[in-house]
């Protein structure tokens, strides 16, 4: 188990290194000189050259990469080209929107998917199962940003229960801020919940065919208890795997969804940075998101050992 | 995951019989064919000409003349959806082609060689998997400029590890079979065995994965076009239509309704088709109640 985790840790670290090289090189080939962008078209060639020197843009590629990578490790991402403030400040300002959004969405998706999966698996082949899985099939096919538009139309435009977009900030109180995150979280969560419910059902159906389930039933254990205590626990590995993968989808999804709801999160930041050619911001946010995905996948690997004691002792 | 169980007759007739008894397959095939037909028809005929802007007809609600209404330029929404389907299908199809064309040979190679080549290829796969695909697609299109071509490349790159993984897993389950041993005894090389025996036996797995990636490609293209990084106007695309509809939602909600339904239906059809194909080829499916 330790060897396994060590291997996963190494792979995670290698992923981050390769990701940083790819991200760095990719943005290196982008046309447009950041110094020229910062100074505007009227600046003289000498001024641009001076700024390039100050920003370290005239250093060799490898030196610039190492500088940047060293900065990443100490969370010093450098200064934004357009705002002239440290990138970490921009990220800190925006992450308080994106992170709660992704977490609420993941929680919602799990809270919906696991009971639906249990419900369908317990009634497999019957009407309840067929209906639940038909709805899930539609949920899987639903583009989340379109679902978001429909939610806005019904709950913001028509019923006027929640705001159609924007974010008042956490300073305005927890409730108004949460209210602004409800629709985006639901829009993100439901399509993911549909996928997760299908996986949960499939994993449960597989487990329910096992001998120990029949034994548990034969000794008189009620079906409900068998489902929760034996079946769900044994079905957790594929469910956890998909949840880990979904976190990456949710992060990418927030980028799109934040644009639907005009939320000032990391996604909006990336888009603005892309249009303003503020490459250092783009690089930093992308690396941050990749690091988040790698971390979550490591946690998923760890959690396997928690749900399945057999994995703890396996060599 | 295995192909036919021993002793199961797998003639084309039996397969077709099972296919048309499978509800998912029939519904999925029907929807997919309708969408494909609409896309093909749009090359020759659409109800209205979408390149002509008729301001007098702008934002008409659905009527007998304009089934799905008209947009803010007076263009017929049904005609735009028909033309937009070409884009969605072309982008997703080529992206699947890239993924299969590169991923399947890689996966088969890894399975045939084993050892460090296998290990290296699979670790490389894990690397690509760690990138949130849509995020990377956004970055690629942002760096190289927004266009349908760049959207195809961005989506296609992330299809490669998916197909490599499926092909490798499938191939690894076929290699220990007796008929492969027989083929090797007959002096066939690894490449020839892969082409003649392995690929035909994993074709069903690849087909199922193909429909799934096709569906995901359509969703991804729509998302990219929605944020302005995919297909560029004036070429109609489903994602772009939804973006335009967003600001007009108070006055013309139908503009947001129909393009979304088109995406939903297409993706649903492909997913059902994939489920159906998977059931037909997986003998275990018949044991399931």
């Amino acid at each position: 188990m330790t060897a396994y985790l060590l291997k996963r840790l190494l792979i995670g670290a290698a992923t981050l290194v390769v990701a940083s090289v790819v991200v760095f090189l990719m943005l290196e080939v982008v046309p447009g000189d950041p110094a020229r962008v910062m100074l505007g078209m009227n600046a003289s060639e000498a001024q641009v050259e001076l700024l390039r020197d100050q920003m370290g843009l005239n250093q060799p590629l490898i030196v610039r990469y190492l500088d940047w990578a060293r900065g990443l490790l100490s969370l010093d991402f450098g200064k934004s080209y357009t705002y002239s403030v440290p990138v970490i400040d921009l990220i800190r300002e925006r992450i308080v929107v994106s992170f709660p959004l992704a977490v609420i969405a993941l929680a919602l998706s799990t809270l919906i998917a696991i009971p639906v999966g249990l419900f369908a698996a317990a009634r497999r082949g019957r009407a309840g199962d067929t209906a639940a899985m038909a709805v899930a099939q539609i949920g899987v096919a639903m583009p989340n940003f379109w679902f978001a538009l429909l939610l806005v139309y019904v709950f913001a435009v028509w019923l006027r229960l929640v705001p159609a977009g924007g974010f008042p900030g956490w300073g305005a109180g927890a409730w108004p801020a949460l209210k602004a995150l409800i629709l985006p979280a639901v829009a993100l969560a439901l399509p993911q919940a549909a996928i997760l419910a299908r996986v949960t059902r499939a994993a449960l159906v597989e487990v329910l065919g096992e001998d120990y389930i029949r034994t548990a039933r034969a000794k008189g254990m009620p079906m409900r208890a068998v489902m929760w205590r034996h079946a769900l626990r044994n079905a957790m590995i594929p469910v956890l795997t998909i949840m880990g993968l979904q976190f990456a989808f949710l992060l990418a999804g927030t980028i799109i969804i934040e644009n639907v709801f005009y939320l000032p999160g990391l996604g909006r930041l990336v888009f603005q940075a892309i249009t303003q050619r503020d490459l250092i911001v783009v690089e930093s946010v992308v690396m941050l998101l990749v690091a988040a995905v790698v971390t979550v996948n490591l946690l998923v690997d760890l959690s396997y050992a928690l749900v399945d004691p057999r994995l703890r002792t396996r060599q | 995951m295995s192909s036919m169980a021993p002793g199961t007759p797998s003639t084309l007739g039996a397969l077709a019989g099972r296919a048309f008894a499978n509800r998912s397959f029939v519904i999925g095939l029907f929807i997919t064919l309708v969408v494909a037909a609409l896309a093909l028809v749009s090359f020759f005929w659409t109800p209205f000409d979408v390149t002509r802007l008729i301001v007098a007809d702008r934002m008409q609600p659905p009527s007998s003349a304009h089934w799905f209404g008209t947009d803010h330029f007076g263009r017929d929404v049904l005609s735009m959806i028909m033309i937009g389907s070409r884009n969605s299908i072309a982008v997703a199809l080529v992206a699947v082609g890239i993924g299969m064309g590169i991923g399947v040979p890689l996966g088969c190679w890894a399975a045939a060689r084993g050892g460090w080549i296998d290990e290296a290829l699979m670790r490389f796969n894990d690397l690509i998997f760690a990138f949130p695909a849509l995020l990377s697609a956004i970055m690629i299109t942002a760096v190289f400029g927004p266009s349908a071509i760049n959207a195809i490349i961005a989506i296609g790159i992330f299809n490669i590890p998916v197909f490599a993984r499926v092909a490798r897993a499938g191939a690894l389950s076929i290699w220990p079979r007796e008929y492969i041993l027989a083929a090797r005894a007959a002096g066939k090389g690894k490449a020839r065995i892969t082409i003649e025996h392995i690929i035909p036996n994993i074709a069903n797995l690849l087909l199922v994965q193909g429909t799934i990636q096709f569906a995901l490609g359509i969703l991804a293209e729509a998302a990219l076009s929605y944020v302005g990084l995919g297909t560029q106007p004036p070429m109609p695309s489903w994602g772009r239509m939804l973006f335009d509809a967003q600001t007009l939602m108070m006055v013309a909600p139908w503009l947001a309704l129909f393009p979304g339904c088109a995406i939903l239906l297409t993706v649903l059809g492909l997913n059902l088709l994939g489920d159906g194909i998977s059931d037909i080829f997986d003998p275990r499916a018949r044991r399931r109640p």
Side-chain angles (χ1 to χ4, degrees):
Chain A
M1 190 66 207
T2 324
Y4 168 75
L5 283 181
L6 218 62
K7 191 179 166 198
R8 303 303 310 179
L9 210 63
L10 271 177
I11 291 173
T15 308
L16 287 179
V17 173
V18 176
S20 69
V21 173
V22 171
V23 168
F24 184 80
L25 287 181
M26 201 146 109
L27 293 179
E28 206 50 45
V29 301
V30 180
D33 180 352
R36 170 62 69 186
V37 172
M38 278 176 85
L39 290 172
M41 281 304 142
N42 296 325
S44 72
E45 209 51 52
Q47 280 172 312
V48 171
E49 201 49 39
L50 190 68
L51 188 67
R52 282 184 63 86
D53 259 344
Q54 280 172 6
M55 290 168 74
L57 289 175
N58 289 334
Q59 303 268 354
L61 194 66
I62 180 82
V63 174
R64 273 184 294 137
Y65 169 73
L66 288 176
D67 270 351
W68 176 69
R70 200 175 306 129
L72 286 183
L73 287 176
S74 54
L75 288 183
D76 170 18
F77 299 121
K79 256 186 178 175
S80 155
Y81 298 158
T82 41
Y83 299 106
S84 296
V85 294
V87 177
I88 186 72
D89 289 351
L90 289 174
I91 290 178
R92 204 174 283 141
E93 212 172 89
R94 306 301 189 98
I95 206 165
V96 296
V97 180
S98 298
F99 187 69
L101 179 58
V103 171
I104 297 173
L106 190 64
L108 259 180
S109 145
T110 313
L111 284 177
I112 298 167
I114 304 248
V116 171
L118 280 165
F119 170 89
R123 288 164 190 73
R124 60 190 180 284
R126 285 189 267 152
D129 174 30
T130 313
M133 286 306 112
V135 172
Q137 195 57 275
I138 291 173
V140 173
M142 180 102 83
N144 58 12
F145 62 94
W146 180 57
F147 185 47
L149 288 180
L150 297 183
L151 287 176
V152 168
Y153 186 69
V154 174
F155 292 98
V157 176
W158 195 28
L159 298 174
R160 294 179 188 281
L161 289 175
V162 283
F167 188 70
W170 292 101
W175 176 236
L178 276 178
K179 229 167 113 173
L181 294 183
I182 292 175
L183 286 192
V186 171
L188 272 173
L190 281 194
Q192 298 298 317
I195 298 173
L196 198 58
R198 279 164 59 91
V199 173
T200 308
R201 178 193 175 276
L204 281 169
V205 167
E206 194 84 31
V207 169
L208 286 175
E210 300 282 343
D211 291 339
Y212 54 82
I213 298 291
R214 198 173 331 118
T215 309
R217 288 289 286 150
K219 74 177 187 193
M221 199 178 196
M223 194 60 201
R224 179 179 290 267
V226 172
M227 287 302 269
W228 284 95
R229 203 171 311 158
H230 293 290
L232 187 59
R233 188 153 182 177
N234 278 290
M236 266 332 259
I237 294 235
V239 173
L240 279 170
T241 309
I242 298 297
M243 277 173 69
L245 287 176
Q246 285 195 326
F247 188 73
F249 276 106
L250 280 176
L251 279 178
T254 47
I255 295 177
I256 306 282
I257 291 293
E258 281 171 11
N259 277 288
V260 180
F261 291 94
Y262 306 104
L263 292 175
L266 290 176
R268 294 282 291 170
L269 182 64
V270 169
F271 268 98
Q272 282 159 359
I274 284 171
T275 45
Q276 291 160 343
R277 289 267 163 260
D278 199 344
L279 303 185
I280 197 136
V281 172
V282 180
E283 282 171 343
S284 310
V285 176
V286 170
M287 278 313 296
L288 192 75
L289 295 182
V290 174
V293 172
V294 169
T295 312
V296 167
N297 286 338
L298 270 175
L299 289 177
V300 168
D301 283 339
L302 264 176
S303 66
Y304 290 165
L306 286 179
V307 295
D308 193 343
R310 282 169 301 188
L311 290 177
R312 274 177 237 159
T313 48
R314 205 180 61 188
Q315 288 307 304
Chain B
M1 279 296 144
S2 62
S3 65
M4 302 320 303
T8 314
S10 122
T11 58
L12 271 179
L15 212 57
R18 245 184 296 148
F20 287 98
N22 186 298
R23 202 170 30 174
S24 291
F25 179 83
V26 173
I27 300 174
L29 186 68
F30 176 74
I31 297 177
T32 307
L33 287 179
V34 167
V35 174
L38 278 179
L40 282 179
V41 167
S42 80
F43 281 101
F44 310 103
W45 175 86
T46 50
F48 289 85
D49 181 0
V50 297
T51 56
R52 275 185 52 210
L53 314 180
I54 304 165
V55 183
D57 283 346
R58 61 200 290 267
M59 296 209 277
Q60 301 257 327
S63 64
S64 57
H66 299 279
W67 286 9
F68 293 174
T70 63
D71 76 349
H72 52 301
F73 291 125
R75 290 177 295 183
D76 179 56
V77 172
L78 174 60
S79 307
M80 287 176 73
I81 287 179
M82 285 173 69
I83 293 180
S85 69
R86 286 187 219 163
N87 249 294
S88 292
I89 292 173
V91 169
L93 201 63
V94 179
V96 168
I98 293 175
M100 271 197 188
I102 301 175
V104 173
L106 277 181
C108 287
W109 190 43
R113 292 296 297 267
W116 69 270
I117 290 180
D118 184 23
E119 186 72 12
L121 278 172
M122 287 305 116
R123 289 297 80 80
F124 180 69
N125 260 344
D126 290 346
L127 280 180
I128 301 189
F129 262 125
F131 279 84
L134 194 59
L135 174 68
S136 314
I138 287 171
M139 214 172 73
I140 291 174
T141 44
V143 168
F144 298 103
S147 73
I149 303 284
N150 287 338
I152 291 175
I153 295 170
I155 300 167
I157 288 176
F158 291 93
N159 280 338
I160 296 172
V162 176
F163 283 105
R165 196 169 272 200
V166 171
R168 175 180 174 273
L172 281 179
S173 74
I174 307 288
W175 272 104
R177 302 278 169 94
E178 280 89 356
Y179 57 83
I180 301 292
L181 195 65
R184 295 179 80 165
K188 289 188 187 173
K190 281 186 170 174
R192 198 166 155 207
I193 291 177
T194 298
I195 292 166
E196 287 179 10
H197 299 289
I198 305 283
I199 289 182
N201 275 294
I202 61 170
N204 59 329
L205 298 178
L206 298 176
L207 194 60
V208 170
Q209 200 60 44
T211 61
I212 295 171
Q213 296 312 117
F214 196 142
L216 288 176
I218 286 187
L219 284 174
E221 193 277 334
L224 284 176
S225 296
Y226 171 76
V227 293
L229 294 174
T231 312
Q232 294 299 301
M235 187 69 188
S237 80
W238 294 346
R240 196 69 200 169
M241 288 172 79
L242 286 174
F243 175 80
D244 289 338
Q246 191 173 355
T247 46
L248 301 167
M249 201 129 76
M250 313 268 190
V251 277
W254 62 88
L255 289 179
L257 189 64
F258 296 111
C261 288
I263 301 171
L264 176 72
L265 215 63
T266 309
V267 174
L268 184 67
L270 286 165
N271 283 343
L272 286 173
L273 189 63
D275 278 6
I277 298 172
S278 167
D279 284 348
I280 294 163
F281 281 99
D282 186 356
R284 289 191 310 167
R286 273 167 295 153
R287 269 199 279 126
R288 259 183 240 146

